[in-house]
Amino acid sequence: MRIKACFRKYSSQEGGAVAIIVALFLTVAVGFMAIGIDLGSLYFRQKSLQTQADMTAISAVLNLSGTPDDHAQATVIGNRLEASALTSLEYGRYIYDSALPAEDRFETRDLSDVDVNAAEVVLKGAAPLFFSQTFLDTDSTPLSASATAARFDFASFSLGSRLLDLDGGILNALLGAALGSNVSLSLLDYQALLDTQIDLLTFTDALAVRADLVALDYAEILTSEIDLLDVAGALLDTGLVSGSTDVLTAILNCTACGSFNASELIGISGDNVAIQLEDRLGTVSVSALDVLKATLDIVNANRLIEADVGLPIPNVLGNVDLAVVVGEREAYSSWINLGERGATLHTAQVRLKLDVDLSPSLLSGLGVGVSALSLRLPIYAEIASATVTLTDLYCDASGPNDRIASFDTGLTPFTGTNGTHVVELFIGEFDAPAFEDTTTPLDAANLSPADFLDLELNLALITIDLFTLQLKAHAATGNALQPQIDFLVSDIAGSPKTVGSGSLLASTVASLLDPNNLEISISSQSQSLLGGLLSLLLTPVVALVDSVLDVLPGKLLGALLTPIDALLDGVLNVLGIGIGQADLTLDGVACGKVALVR
């Protein structure tokens, strides 16, 4: 009874309950604290390892053109890790494409591949356990961190767009064709645009306001539909054009100007470049006249443009009538491109016809009593498109004489297509539909002889129109390009470099006028007249005609080569076109922007 009473009394006491609860709580709290300390240590060490992986990836990418492996190892060791901690280092191509899942944007490549722009690293490590090892059968836990860094290097460059000379007649014809009206502006009006330099950021901002695209980002603006009025208005709105603005005002009065996609003017090669546009557009400056002329080339694609050429070529009489058809650029290639390695530009195919009136005195000495009354030469030229590909950027260049960029101008390494520049020259006549259709090459089989020379015979008492000669000739040349062209740091935003052979034009004209290529015939009407003369003066006239036909081919080559070569060269320079050539300008280079992309 006494024991039972004591137990009953003890069980009814409440003193000391708190101590028991606290003891139980402390056991749990200490356990949680131990786990918390270990988890905090693990988190800190994981973040440190991730930071080290990020630094290693960046170090490798910054030295892609040198020894990235060595720099990556040095970064690992410099962060007090063992060299063996770097368990994986891969190089590849990172494409920022919002349409792709993040894990699919990195493609492994060999370091030697020209389009490598990223590095992916994996670091392994271990974190010690402090309290948790009481519950676990280990004193550490493995850690792993991966990082992908990409380097976004790109250049802005233009091809075959620079106006080499000013000529009011040709520029007015280009502008008039786009506006659908006659334009009579002076060279001073165009000179004001030529003297104005404008950066692409300022131009794009003004273009967005004019085309009501202010809600879009720069990549969207430069892939939107615009028209010639938007471009002219944007150039005017910048306030940079000093002097005459009559050219831009004339365009703003247009009621039905052609529209086009802005990417045909300013191209962006890839999302890697698109994400940097706001930072880089302001570093590229171009002439306002270049912008306008490139726009006119786009708007006038496949239109027949006619103009009088007033070039001061010796021995050329009267007007030189010019007809030009410019085809569309291949794959809608833009005029200026902002692109990484592998970015390609194409110029458009150009077809032109020149009707040239030459001085008859060029063909003196054809024979006794024989003189030229008139000399007309119809020349056709078909100039195929040119191609350049940005193959490399040398971002370690520092001095003005260091190479900064290389372009492939022949066989493009990325597509395997040939960038051959071909020119074909013709003397004769083509039907109008054949000439204006740039989708079908001009064919020498469809070339008809052209009346080009009227001769007269001065006898003692009378002067007789002797006969009209017809001429037909064809000459073609193939690839005349350098396989590669390099730009130095000092060449950035400088004068364009002409790719090709400087003597190609002269040599092609010489082939065209070569006696072996010329087909000389007497027109049917002249043959009838000559038949009547032969019945009266058979022997002397036959001898005279034979002597003229014998000496004429050599006379043509000697007398016409220089003026025709000068005329073609002058016209093509005004238009910014080079036979077997391309004018390549490096407007800017952006190197070294590195980002952690994963």
Side-chain angles (χ1 to χ4, degrees):
M1 291 293 296
R2 189 175 294 177
I3 295 174
K4 189 174 181 179
C6 289
F7 180 75
R8 193 177 290 131
K9 181 179 179 180
Y10 175 77
S11 61
S12 63
Q13 295 292 325
E14 295 183 356
V18 173
I20 296 172
I21 295 173
V22 168
L24 293 173
F25 174 76
L26 284 176
T27 301
V28 176
V30 169
F32 275 115
M33 183 176 66
I35 295 173
I37 291 173
D38 279 351
L39 288 177
S41 174
L42 288 174
Y43 178 80
F44 173 77
R45 290 182 179 275
Q46 178 64 41
K47 289 294 291 181
S48 297
L49 189 64
Q50 184 62 59
T51 300
Q52 292 162 342
D54 294 344
M55 294 172 64
T56 303
I58 290 174
S59 179
V61 166
L62 285 173
N63 296 277
L64 284 175
S65 58
T67 55
D69 288 11
D70 294 343
H71 284 82
Q73 286 285 1
T75 301
V76 171
I77 295 173
N79 281 280
R80 298 181 180 180
L81 294 175
E82 296 292 334
S84 59
L86 181 59
T87 59
S88 176
L89 174 56
E90 292 185 322
Y91 302 102
R93 172 77 177 163
Y94 181 84
I95 301 175
Y96 183 83
D97 186 348
S98 57
L100 292 175
E103 60 273 13
D104 294 336
R105 298 176 187 175
F106 179 83
E107 295 181 358
T108 304
R109 298 274 201 280
D110 291 330
L111 182 58
S112 58
D113 291 341
V114 293
D115 62 345
V116 167
N117 73 334
E120 186 177 71
V121 304
V122 177
L123 295 184
K124 298 290 187 180
L129 298 176
F130 299 102
F131 298 100
S132 299
Q133 61 181 300
T134 304
F135 310 103
L136 303 173
D137 190 20
T138 180
D139 59 357
S140 65
T141 186
L143 298 177
S144 176
S146 64
T148 303
R151 177 171 180 164
F152 303 115
D153 304 329
F154 71 92
S156 54
F157 57 101
S158 53
L159 176 66
S161 60
R162 188 167 298 273
L163 194 67
L164 302 183
D165 196 4
L166 288 177
D167 181 270
I170 291 178
L171 286 173
N172 284 337
L174 290 172
L175 185 55
L179 301 182
S181 61
N182 292 326
V183 177
S184 299
L185 295 165
S186 70
L187 295 183
L188 290 178
D189 297 326
Y190 292 105
Q191 187 70 48
L193 296 177
L194 183 64
D195 293 338
T196 301
Q197 292 292 312
I198 180 172
D199 68 83
L200 294 186
L201 181 62
T202 300
F203 172 71
T204 305
D205 285 339
L207 183 64
V209 174
R210 273 282 173 173
D212 194 22
L213 303 171
V214 291
L216 306 181
D217 61 32
Y218 288 106
E220 292 170 328
I221 293 171
L222 295 178
T223 53
S224 298
E225 289 294 314
I226 59 174
D227 57 34
L228 181 57
L229 274 76
D230 295 327
V231 174
L235 291 174
L236 194 61
D237 292 345
T238 62
L240 297 174
V241 180
S242 58
S244 174
T245 58
D246 288 350
V247 176
L248 302 179
T249 303
I251 296 174
L252 292 178
N253 291 328
C254 175
T255 57
C257 288
S259 63
F260 59 96
N261 194 283
S263 62
E264 296 180 61
L265 186 65
I266 303 174
I268 306 165
S269 295
D271 290 342
N272 289 351
V273 177
I275 61 176
Q276 306 177 69
L277 285 179
E278 188 169 359
D279 297 331
R280 300 304 182 183
L281 283 175
T283 66
V284 181
S285 294
V286 293
S287 150
L289 185 58
D290 279 343
V291 175
L292 180 59
K293 183 177 178 296
T295 304
L296 292 177
D297 288 343
I298 295 169
V299 172
N300 286 329
N302 295 322
R303 290 183 180 176
L304 178 66
I305 302 169
E306 297 179 308
D308 292 333
V309 181
L311 296 175
I313 306 300
N315 301 314
V316 176
L317 299 179
N319 292 326
V320 178
D321 295 327
L322 170 68
V324 181
V325 179
V326 179
E328 289 185 294
R329 290 171 178 255
E330 184 176 338
Y332 298 97
S333 176
S334 56
W335 158 61
I336 189 170
N337 195 321
L338 287 81
E340 297 179 282
R341 295 169 180 87
T344 297
L345 277 185
H346 306 273
T347 59
Q349 176 194 23
V350 177
R351 183 174 290 178
L352 61 86
K353 178 187 178 183
L354 286 169
D355 266 324
V356 187
D357 290 326
L358 295 165
S359 171
S361 62
L362 286 170
L363 294 180
S364 59
L366 292 177
V368 178
V370 177
S371 59
L373 292 176
S374 63
L375 183 59
R376 169 185 170 267
L377 203 63
I379 301 175
Y380 291 82
E382 180 157 70
I383 305 162
S385 61
T387 302
V388 296
T389 299
L390 176 63
T391 54
D392 214 342
L393 291 170
Y394 305 94
C395 290
D396 54 351
S398 56
N401 295 322
D402 291 342
R403 183 172 56 170
I404 188 69
S406 293
F407 292 86
D408 183 277
T409 59
L411 186 67
T412 54
F414 297 93
T415 62
T417 58
N418 198 300
T420 300
H421 295 32
V422 177
V423 59
E424 288 190 88
L425 294 181
F426 305 85
I427 294 176
E429 297 288 359
F430 282 107
D431 293 335
F435 172 67
E436 297 174 22
D437 180 13
T438 58
T439 62
T440 303
L442 294 177
D443 188 348
N446 299 325
L447 183 67
S448 301
D451 294 343
F452 92 104
L453 177 62
D454 289 324
L455 296 178
E456 67 176 7
L457 176 62
N458 296 299
L459 301 176
L461 298 176
I462 60 172
T463 299
I464 303 173
D465 289 341
L466 192 57
F467 53 79
T468 298
L469 286 178
Q470 294 183 317
L471 199 63
K472 176 180 174 182
H474 169 238
T477 187
N479 192 350
L481 292 178
Q482 306 164 10
Q484 176 177 303
I485 188 167
D486 296 326
F487 281 83
L488 307 180
V489 173
S490 57
D491 294 327
I492 297 176
S495 299
K497 291 196 174 186
T498 299
V499 184
S501 171
S503 63
L504 179 60
L505 179 57
S507 63
T508 307
V509 174
S511 298
L512 184 69
L513 297 174
D514 189 297
N516 294 323
N517 291 334
L518 289 172
E519 294 182 25
I520 301 175
S521 58
I522 300 174
S523 67
S524 56
Q525 184 178 4
S526 295
Q527 287 180 22
S528 300
L529 176 62
L530 193 57
L533 289 174
L534 288 174
S535 64
L536 297 175
L537 303 169
L538 182 60
T539 302
V541 172
V542 169
L544 181 60
V545 172
D546 287 343
S547 66
V548 170
L549 294 179
D550 285 341
V551 301
L552 187 58
K555 287 281 186 181
L556 290 175
L557 181 60
L560 302 186
L561 178 59
T562 299
I564 296 304
D565 179 54
L567 177 62
L568 274 172
D569 188 58
V571 170
L572 294 171
N573 280 350
V574 169
L575 293 173
I577 303 165
I579 289 183
Q581 299 175 344
D583 293 323
L584 178 62
T585 305
L586 182 64
D587 298 295
V589 174
C591 276
K593 182 169 183 178
V594 176
L596 288 166
V597 294
R598 194 167 62 187

